[in-house]
Amino acid sequence: MTTTEAAVPALGIGEVAERTGLSVHALRFYEREGLLVGPVRRTSGGRRRYTAVDVEWLLICVKLRASGMPLADLKHFAALVRGGPGNEAERLRLLDAHRQRVDAQIQALEECRSLITWKVGVYAEHLARGEADGLWDPTA
């Protein structure tokens, strides 16, 4: 271990779970599936020790997964990052394709929100008048 490594506090799996919002089980899964960009260090007793870089990467993974990135794409992205310089164009293509999917989801959700907002207005107007006339009734 270098002097720099010794100066950087290592975090246990519980601390990393707390900081990332991932469960301990999920962290072990991420490691098994090759989603981390570097090996997780271990103590002489076998306990995982994470660095700040590991936590930063995991926070990126959390956001990518929360935005709907497929696990296979996240694995591919992690492999590219682990591969080091020279594959940035492929990383960009992968991230841009995901961004386009997210943009399409946002557009679809905005259309849904617009319809819901309109429908809320219709109901609010009818309730303010004290009448249900004109509201759609599937039993009528």
Side-chain angles (χ1 to χ4, degrees), residues 16-96:
V16 174
E18 190 175 304
R19 290 180 186 204
T20 61
L22 293 168
S23 68
V24 168
H25 177 73
L27 286 167
R28 290 182 183 128
F29 173 80
Y30 272 43
E31 185 179 354
R32 258 192 331 272
E33 292 295 314
L35 296 172
L36 300 174
V37 290
V40 176
R41 293 194 178 108
R42 305 253 181 174
T43 66
S44 57
R47 293 186 180 270
R48 289 168 174 83
R49 301 306 290 169
Y50 295 87
T51 66
V53 171
D54 295 326
V55 173
E56 255 182 74
W57 174 256
L58 285 164
L59 290 170
I60 291 168
C61 290
V62 166
K63 292 297 184 191
L64 290 173
R65 287 294 290 152
S67 66
M69 179 178 272
L71 193 56
D73 286 356
L74 186 54
K75 280 183 179 184
H76 186 202
F77 185 56
L80 290 170
V81 171
R82 272 193 308 275
N87 60 28
E88 293 82 2
E90 191 173 353
R91 292 184 216 178
L92 174 61
R93 281 190 299 275
L94 190 147
L95 289 171
D96 191 49

